[in-house]
Amino acid sequence: NTYYVDANQNGADQVATIDQSDGNVSRSVQYISANELTLLQSGDVNYSDIIQSGNLNQASVTQGGNNNYSRLLESGNFNEASVTQSGNNNNASTGQGGDLNEASVTQSGSSNYSALGQYGSENHASVTQASNSNSSLVSQNGSNNNAVVQQGL
């Protein structure tokens, strides 16, 4: 088995913590200052892509199982996002643009899909998909929006 890590940091006070087992791939890019990311991957053939641009953004991705994919983009300031996937063949794409947004995606089981976008300020979204073959699409534009998705609980 092989693994691949590509971590690029530009700016000041960036923090990246990456821990993955063989067979997993990760790419992370951090711009501006004081962004923090944590990436943990176990299992086999998981892929994660994290891009942070702005100040004081926090991102966390944890993937176990096999063939999971996560893409997380943060642009702005003081955004927080987390993705947790267990099981197999799950896909999560999360994007944040603006300030003070919070997003959480948790998927267990297999073949789940989540797309979550936040554009504005102080939006809050939580997606939990706990069985197989669930799909969700959350789009928040503006400020002070709140969304909760729960499937398969």
Side-chain angles (χ1 to χ4, degrees):
N1 286 338
T2 60
Y3 62 93
Y4 179 77
V5 174
D6 180 8
N8 293 299
Q9 295 177 310
N10 300 289
D13 301 317
Q14 311 284 18
V15 177
T17 303
I18 300 170
D19 184 3
Q20 63 185 22
S21 61
D22 285 348
N24 296 301
V25 176
S26 67
R27 180 177 79 110
S28 65
V29 180
Q30 296 173 305
Y31 297 104
I32 315 299
S33 76
N35 294 299
E36 183 176 339
L37 70 85
T38 302
L39 171 61
L40 306 172
Q41 294 190 123
S42 59
D44 202 27
V45 195
N46 294 304
Y47 179 85
S48 179
D49 189 11
I50 301 172
I51 300 172
Q52 295 176 304
S53 177
N55 298 292
L56 298 162
N57 295 302
Q58 294 184 358
S60 173
V61 175
T62 302
Q63 297 189 128
N66 302 311
N67 299 310
N68 294 303
Y69 174 85
S70 172
R71 179 170 174 82
L72 199 156
L73 170 63
E74 293 181 310
S75 177
N77 304 299
F78 301 102
N79 294 302
E80 295 182 19
S82 68
V83 174
T84 302
Q85 298 188 123
S86 58
N88 303 313
N89 303 309
N90 295 302
N91 185 320
S93 294
T94 304
Q96 295 177 308
D99 300 325
L100 297 165
N101 295 301
E102 295 180 8
S104 173
V105 176
T106 302
Q107 298 188 128
S108 57
S110 297
S111 302
N112 294 300
Y113 174 79
S114 171
L116 193 159
Q118 297 176 309
Y119 306 99
S121 297
E122 298 185 57
N123 294 303
H124 304 273
S126 172
V127 175
T128 304
Q129 300 186 139
S131 58
N132 300 326
S133 302
N134 296 294
S135 293
S136 77
L137 171 60
V138 176
S139 180
Q140 296 177 312
N141 295 289
S143 298
N144 296 305
N145 296 300
N146 187 44
V148 176
V149 176
Q150 295 181 325
Q151 298 189 106
L153 300 179

